[in-house]
Amino acid sequence: MPGGLAVVVCSAWFSAPLAVPVLGAVAAAAVAVEERYRRR
């Protein structure tokens, strides 16, 4: 069981820096959708 927990913790640690660009992309998509509907 501790081995599985270590794998989960390591995966979270390595994927944490990727959250910043993902959040940026989601925010950009939300702004684009708002702009698209605003122009209609």
Side-chain angles (χ1 to χ4, degrees):
M1 194 67 144
L5 183 61
V7 169
V8 170
V9 169
C10 287
S11 296
W13 179 261
F14 287 127
S15 64
L18 296 176
V20 175
V22 168
L23 289 175
V26 169
V31 170
V33 167
E34 296 246 345
E35 285 294 321
R36 183 174 180 179
Y37 283 116
R38 186 179 298 169
R39 293 183 181 184
R40 284 188 175 183

